Amino acid sequence: MSRQIIVGNWKMNGLSKDSTARTEAILSALPDTAVDIVICPPFTQLAAIASLTANSPVACGAQDCHMESKGAFTGDISPEMLADLGVSHVILGHSERRQTHGEIDETVREKTVAAIKAGLTPIVCIGETEDQRETGQAEDVLGWQIKGSLPDGFNGILAYEPIWAIGTGLAATTSDITDAMTFLRAELVRQFGENGKTIQILYGGSVNAGNASEILAIPDVAGALVGGASLDPEAFLTIVRAASAH
Ligand code: PGA
């Protein structure tokens, strides 16, 4: 198995002081084993955190970007601007943006294309709602999200985040995740051929210090996208150590 990836999604949390302290706590206690770590602070902290993590094993990511490189888009941030700060990754199509900012698959795909063009590694999120799961539509929804959100030749990271597991403290079970991974891999190969075999798939949704080890041991899980638990350096580092053990 290649190195696992642990991504911390801070969402809209982090003022200067606590963002710096959190990052320093992570940097000072990194295990010296093979795991890729990405922390994604809010836009306002990106410059500071990108500079703190420069020349360290921790990469800095953003939580969104625009699909254009510049122009009259008040309040937006382009992928070129992120790359200019030393940011290397960007989360795209997170369900919170799909749900509250009207992002549809096409928006996500355009942003993904733009991010790749700017040299960033996109982490594209997909996931079904509780209702879709209960009515047996989960696989159809995931298949359509892959088709709509990932451009041809996609070589970034996919994050499977069942919406019912995000921020609820109720992670998907090992058997749910195993089934989803099997489906997603088959779907990626069906849609992308040979390329689909190597796209890395993260799991996200209530990953914490207690369940990380079990989740990261599931075949084909390439790592985790961690929200709430990434705000606590101790919990985040426990998850990082769990990843490096696989
Ligand atoms: P959570 O969030 O770990 O707090 O469930 C995950 C995410 O939204 O990326």
Side-chain angles (χ1 to χ4, degrees), residues 69-125:
S69 56
K70 61 180 164 73
F73 303 101
T74 304
D76 281 315
I77 306 287
S78 77
E80 279 72 10
M81 292 169 174
L82 298 175
D84 184 44
L85 286 182
V87 167
S88 55
H89 292 66
V90 60
I91 298 170
L92 294 171
H94 190 282
S95 62
E96 285 152 14
R97 296 206 61 85
R98 289 179 186 260
Q99 289 179 326
T100 62
H101 292 262
E103 294 199 5
I104 56 171
D105 289 335
E106 193 181 353
T107 325
V108 179
R109 189 177 67 243
E110 287 177 10
K111 290 181 172 194
T112 303
V113 169
I116 294 169
K117 193 163 152 240
L120 303 175
T121 301
I123 303 166
V124 179
C125 304

Side-chain angles (χ1 to χ4, degrees), residues 150-190:
L150 305 185
D152 288 345
F154 179 73
N155 60 355
I157 298 168
L158 184 67
Y160 168 58
E161 297 208 304
I163 295 172
W164 46 271
I166 295 178
T168 58
L170 209 87
T173 63
T174 304
S175 122
D176 285 336
I177 301 174
T178 304
D179 290 351
M181 288 295 151
T182 306
F183 169 75
L184 291 172
R185 180 61 63 201
E187 190 62 20
L188 286 170
V189 171
R190 193 179 73 77

